């Protein structure tokens, strides 16, 4: 689409701290800049306030970047600075003194070591700090920042060293003993970061210097061009870093929000309007500039490895923290606006003709919006019961087989190129024509309405047509590229490796662009939903559309040009040129007119990149650019008028082409187990340990279901018991309380885990991981928030007179609660195991208990005045849904009409829990998206009743007589 069109169900722009445009990337999602660069000195000197996780507020002192701290003579130096400078000096000395043959492997290994320290080492520390606040926990546990005067600090000399180091660097608004422990921990962490980052860059430069040289036979002009381009890239890289630091300051540069937050509003400009995650994307242009100046493929390859590692760091460490910290799920959905209520009334009136006996039909699709369920794009949405997915899969297999089994002779090469051109002409021209007619006359929708179909059916058929055309357009191009490709005779010399690397990078750029566009537009925008549905969603400029109005115009076909570089084929060049030309025509003649008609003045003129480029142009060039845009727009208007005048002559031929195309589519339509044993089990008697469980009993029906007519005559009778023990059967998803007892000298690192009974053969040692389903007996025994979550009571001393085993020794007891992610979300038989001292030696095992979902029996529930059981379904379902949503007040409903919390849409685990329970309780299998789309228990209950009614004639259940069951009470 020409601009980002959000889904009708979207909540609009993402928020961060204040209501602003969405910010992406850690450096652009975490900043302390309150005003633009033109702010007054008074605003610049305004104090910044930080806030720790416990709510404490403190003044954040002013700090400086690492380069000025290390190299500026005006900045005070401390011991850590001298250590960093000494290590850097060792790198440079090694470059000078090492023999030439040893420099390359030595500095390659050194750089990879520091890069691993950066992306893996720092990444691990930040990850455990983000998830468990473990760095701060370590600082508290070691009492590193406590004043030795209190007598609690076991390292007074280290305390004095750290105090001198920090206060030397920060001369205002800072006292080491008064600062929060989170801030002091961050200061120590950033000194480690200084060492790693500086050594990472210096070792890379040393490796480039060791590999650099002039290729044999290179002309002087080429050398000048190579060096000039490299210097330009380095200069651009330097500007990116400086401009990013201007915006984010030291707080975000050193990942400060992993430790504390700052209370300031944000203003993002400059480089943050030009590229997503600029520190990690365009911020690595200097690496490629140095590679160009060194004229070494070794430097280029190691640059690509470093850049890829940085993106992995962003994906696995920073992005999850950004999402958790700055983009939490919004609060429970409020009551719909009046306009939305009017839309619902129109929809219900429209649907009541199909369901006259029920006026409260849940909303999935209408004339205003498509169904959000059963999407088409993505591997997870592939459904081979759907003819579109099956057709696309078979056609791809067909093209792959045809490409692999035919020779690469000139005849076949010509046929494959013509096939690629034909599919491109159809995708850009044919699909474009259909969309244009849909925009102006609703031709596609009218066709299906003519046969009594709905707009939703027209939408589904359109998505299938577009998806198949798009897939075959690129599959045919890939096949033609394969046929025209011939491997280079020399891989280690010349420009052939460079062409392949640049081509592969362009292909990856297009893949990233496609994912970014879909992430911004959603299913609705990807398939041009505003051409089909009357409700126009609000224009947003998030994601990739923050930087480009039309990504398809510039980088949307980068992979096509990458294929040109890889094959170096004239035929592929002309196919790529035609593809780009047709794409530009599609945007200008189909998308833009529709966008102007639909959104008018809301359309943005300049995106972030264009706006910044215009701002940087000198006035004469800026005026020339404006005149060029005027001439281009007038030319486009002339072309549009010409096409409009020639339309009557073309319509007959195009209609024939469309009919032929529709006819064509109809025709083709080993395991190793390790046991960790504690060396200090002597002196501990398992008899002194015990574990008991308490839970919400399951329904009585769940117990009776254990006996059925499948057994023999004797097995059908209830078993005779010789004791008062009753089988423990708990309700699915309810919290389970664990009560434990242990001797007075039990280890503070004891823990209790939840396991399936069948998973462990040994009763003395556990030989399978707990997968997070465990809780420590004592708080702060582990550097993990998971271990402490659920602890209710720890180490309560109980008199030995209350023991039932005859012993008189006092003992300790405690309680803990297992709920949410610490439960098994399936049916089965489970047990709790008490483990000793952080190991896997079992000291006690609870009685086994069963998690069971009782079947809903319509014969055993109350019916309403109309003889229907829907009210009973709603009541039963409400309890199940609340359990599946962890009884969290932010997402779990209290009534059948209350909307689910927004986290249900973001995290699919909650919906998957519900559909599992519904499947076993009612015998109806739904997709998780149905739960998310229905939005409350009332709608979901209607859908269950309706499904029971529809599927009853095909049921294998017993009927009341000789007729097929109808389930009329639903």
């Amino acid at each position: 689409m020409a601009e980002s069109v959000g889904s009708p169900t979207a909540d609009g722009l993402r928020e961060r701290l204040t209501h602003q445009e969405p910010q992406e990337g850690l450096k652009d999602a975490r900043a302390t800049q309150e005003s633009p660069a033109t702010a007054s000195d008074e605003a610049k000197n305004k104090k910044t306030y930080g806030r720790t996780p416990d709510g404490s507020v403190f003044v954040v002192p002013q700090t400086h970047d690492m380069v000025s701290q290390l190299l500026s003579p005006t900045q005070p130096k401390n011991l850590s600075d001298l250590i960093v400078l000494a290590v850097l000096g060792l790198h440079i000395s090694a470059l000078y003194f090492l023999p030439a043959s040893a420099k390359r492997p030595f500095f390659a290994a050194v750089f990879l070591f520091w890069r691993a320290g950066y992306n893996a080492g720092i990444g691990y520390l930040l990850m455990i700090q983000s998830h468990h606040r473990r760095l701060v926990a370590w600082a508290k546990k070691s009492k590193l920042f406590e004043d030795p005067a209190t007598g609690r600090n076991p390292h007074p000399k280290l305390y004095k060293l750290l105090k001198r180091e920090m206060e030397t660097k920060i001369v205002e608004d800072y006292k080491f003993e008064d600062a929060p422990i989170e801030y002091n921990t961050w200061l120590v962490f950033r000194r480690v970061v200084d060492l790693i980052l500086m050594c990472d860059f210096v070792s890379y430069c040393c490796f480039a210097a060791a590999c650099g040289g002039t290729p044999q036979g290179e002309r002087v002009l080429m050398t000048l061009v190579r060096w000039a381009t490299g210097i330009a890239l380095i200069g651009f890289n330097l500007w990116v870093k400086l401009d990013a630091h201007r915006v984010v300051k030291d707080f975000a540069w050193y990942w400060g929000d992993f430790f504390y937050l700052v209370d300031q509003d944000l203003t993002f400009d400059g480089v943050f309007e030009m590229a997503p995650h600029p520190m990690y994307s365009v911020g690595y242009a200097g690496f490629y500039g140095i590679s160009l100046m060194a004229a070494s493929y070794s430097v280029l390859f190691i640059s690509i490895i470093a850049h890829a590692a940085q993106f992995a760091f962003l994906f696995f460490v920073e992005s999850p923290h950004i999402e958790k910290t700055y983009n939490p799920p919004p609060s429970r959905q409020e009551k719909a606006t009046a306009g939305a209520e009017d839309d619902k009334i129109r929809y219900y009136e429209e649907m009541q003709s199909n369901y006259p006996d029920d006026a409260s039909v849940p909303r999935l699709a209408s004339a205003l919006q498509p169904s959000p369920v059963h999407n088409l794009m993505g591997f997870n949405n592939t459904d081979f019961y759907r003819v579109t997915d099956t057709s696309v899969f078979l056609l791809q297999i067909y093209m792959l087989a045809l490409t692999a089994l035919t020779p690469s002779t000139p005849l076949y090469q010509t046929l494959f190129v013509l096939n690629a051109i034909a599919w491109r002409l159809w995708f850009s021209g044919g699909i474009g024509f259909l969309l244009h007619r849909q925009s102006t006359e609703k031709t596609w929708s009218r066709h299906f309405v003519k046969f009594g179909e709905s707009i939703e059916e027209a939408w589904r058929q359109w998505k299938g047509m577009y998806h198949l055309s798009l897939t075959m357009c690129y599959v045919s191009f890939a096949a033609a590229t394969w046929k025209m490709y011939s491997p280079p005779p020399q891989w280690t010399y010349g420009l052939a490796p460079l062409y392949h690397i640049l081509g592969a990078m362009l292909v990856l750029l297009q893949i990233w662009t496609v994912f970014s566009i879909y992430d911004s537009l959603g299913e609705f925008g990807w398939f041009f939903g505003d051409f089909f549905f009357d409700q126009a969603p609000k224009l947003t400029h998030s994601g990739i559309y923050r930087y480009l109005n039309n990504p398809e115009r510039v980088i949307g076909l980068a992979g096509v040009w990458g294929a040109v570089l890889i094959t170096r084929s004239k035929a592929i060049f002309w196919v790529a040129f035609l593809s780009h030309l047709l794409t530009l025509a599609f945007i200008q003649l189909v998308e833009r007119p529709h966008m102007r008609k639909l959104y008018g003045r809301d359309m943005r003129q300049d995106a972030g990149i264009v706006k910044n480029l215009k701002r940087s142009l000198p006035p004469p060039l800026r005026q020339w650019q404006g005149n060029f845009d005027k001439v281009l727009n007038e030319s486009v208007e002339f072309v549009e008028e010409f096409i409009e005048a020639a339309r009557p002559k073309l319509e007959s031929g195009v209609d024939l082409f469309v009919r032929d195309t529709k006819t064509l589519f109809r025709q083709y339509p080993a395991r190793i187990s390790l046991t960790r044993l504690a060396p200090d089990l002597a002196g501990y008697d398992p008899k002194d340990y015990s574990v008991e469980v308490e839970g919400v009993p399951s329904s009585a029906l769940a117990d009776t279901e254990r006996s059925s007519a499948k057994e023999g005559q004797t097995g059908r009778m209830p078993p005779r018991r010789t004791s008062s023990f009753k089988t423990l059967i708990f309700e699915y998803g309810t919290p389970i309380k664990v009560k434990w007892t242990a001797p007075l000298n039990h280890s503070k690192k004891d823990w209790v885990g939840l396991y399936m009974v069948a998973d462990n053969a040994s009763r003395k040692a556990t030989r399978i991981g707990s997968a997070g389903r465990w809780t420590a007996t004592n708080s702060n025994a582990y550097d993990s928030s998971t271990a402490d979550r659920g602890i209710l009571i720890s180490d309560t001393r109980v008199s030995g007179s209350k023991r039932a085993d005859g012993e008189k020794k006092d003992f300790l007891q405690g309680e803990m609660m297992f709920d949410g992610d610490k439960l098994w979300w399936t049916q089965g038989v489970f047990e709790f195991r008490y483990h000793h001292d952080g190991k896997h030696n079992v000291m006690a095992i609870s009685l086994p208990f069963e998690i069971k979902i009782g079947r809903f029996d319509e014969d055993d529930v109350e019916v309403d005045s109309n003889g229907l059981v829907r009210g009973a379904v709603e009541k039963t379902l409400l309890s199940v849904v609340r359990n599946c949503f962890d009884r969290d007040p932010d997402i779990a409903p209290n009534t059948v009409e209350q909307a689910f919390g927004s986290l249900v849409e973001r995290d699919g685990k909650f919906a998957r829990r519900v559909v599992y329970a519904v499947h076993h309780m009612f015998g109806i299998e739904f997709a998780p998206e149905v739960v998310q789309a229905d939005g409350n228990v009332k709608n979901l209950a209607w859908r269950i009743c309706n499904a029971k009614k529809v599927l009853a004639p095909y049921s294998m259940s017993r009927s009341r007589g000789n007729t097929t069951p109808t389930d009329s009470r639903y």
Side-chain angles (χ1 to χ4, degrees), residues 698-710:
S698 186
S699 64
L701 186 61
D703 192 16
T704 61
E705 287 177 357
R706 305 179 74 189
S707 300
S708 66
K710 299 187 293 294

Side-chain angles (χ1 to χ4, degrees), residues 8-290:
T9 60
D11 294 329
L13 300 179
R14 299 167 69 189
E15 297 181 357
R16 179 190 178 278
L17 297 183
T18 58
H19 296 282
Q20 302 175 23
E21 285 194 4
Q23 315 300 339
E24 294 186 17
L26 185 62
K27 307 306 181 198
D28 54 335
R30 306 169 314 182
T32 59
Q33 178 100 348
E34 184 181 29
S35 58
T38 57
S40 64
D41 293 338
E42 181 181 355
K44 291 181 179 178
N45 294 328
K46 185 177 179 180
K47 294 184 183 298
T48 301
Y49 290 92
R51 188 180 300 273
T52 62
D54 62 3
S56 302
V57 179
F58 66 99
V59 176
V60 179
Q62 182 181 5
T63 55
H64 301 279
D65 62 274
M66 70 175 77
V67 177
S68 60
Q69 283 186 142
L70 289 174
L71 304 180
S72 175
T74 61
Q75 294 293 328
K77 301 292 183 292
N78 56 16
L79 179 61
S80 59
D81 291 334
L82 298 178
I83 292 175
V84 173
L85 291 173
V87 175
L88 297 181
L90 290 176
H91 285 72
I92 298 173
S93 300
L95 178 65
Y96 181 78
F97 291 108
L98 281 177
S101 59
K103 290 180 181 179
R104 290 191 180 189
F106 174 80
F107 281 109
V110 170
F111 171 70
L112 293 176
F113 168 79
W114 289 116
R115 176 55 54 163
Y118 180 4
N119 297 134
I122 294 178
Y124 173 75
L125 293 177
L126 290 176
M127 186 177 294
I128 61 176
Q129 172 64 18
S130 175
H131 293 169
H132 310 294
R133 310 202 65 82
R134 191 166 294 175
L135 298 184
V136 176
W138 286 345
K140 291 179 179 179
K141 189 174 182 179
S142 64
K143 299 179 173 57
L144 192 62
F145 301 115
E146 291 195 22
D147 193 338
T150 62
R152 293 193 297 267
N153 191 329
H155 311 287
K157 293 183 179 180
L158 183 57
Y159 175 89
K160 293 180 181 179
L161 174 64
L162 291 177
K163 175 179 172 65
R164 183 172 63 252
E165 289 287 302
M166 302 310 166
E167 292 185 348
T168 300
K169 285 291 184 183
I170 308 174
V171 295
E172 295 182 2
D173 300 326
Y174 177 73
K175 286 187 177 181
F176 183 76
E177 59 272 15
D178 296 335
I181 190 172
E182 290 83 3
Y183 186 75
N184 281 336
T185 305
W186 175 67
L187 290 179
V188 174
F189 169 77
R190 63 176 284 172
R191 300 310 293 163
V192 177
V193 172
D194 283 343
L195 173 65
I196 294 176
L197 264 61
M198 291 299 294
C199 291
D200 174 81
F201 178 71
V202 171
S203 61
Y204 173 81
C205 292
C206 291
F207 177 73
C211 296
T214 302
Q216 186 177 3
E218 183 181 68
R219 297 181 179 180
V220 176
L221 180 61
M222 179 59 69
T223 302
L224 294 176
V225 170
R226 181 164 54 80
W227 274 81
T229 306
I231 292 173
L233 289 174
I234 294 174
F236 174 72
N237 195 154
L238 182 62
W239 173 79
V240 169
K241 299 290 187 181
L242 293 176
D243 197 60
H245 189 271
R246 173 188 63 83
V247 175
V248 303
K249 295 295 191 293
D250 280 359
F251 170 73
W253 192 278
Y254 288 100
W255 302 280
D257 61 355
F258 282 73
F259 299 83
Y260 64 95
L261 297 177
V262 292
D263 294 338
Q264 277 194 333
D265 295 333
L266 312 175
T267 297
F268 294 94
D269 54 10
V271 69
F272 290 98
E273 293 181 322
M274 296 186 65
H277 313 295
M279 295 294 295
Y280 299 153
S281 54
V282 295
Y284 270 69
F287 270 36
Y288 300 102
I290 293 175

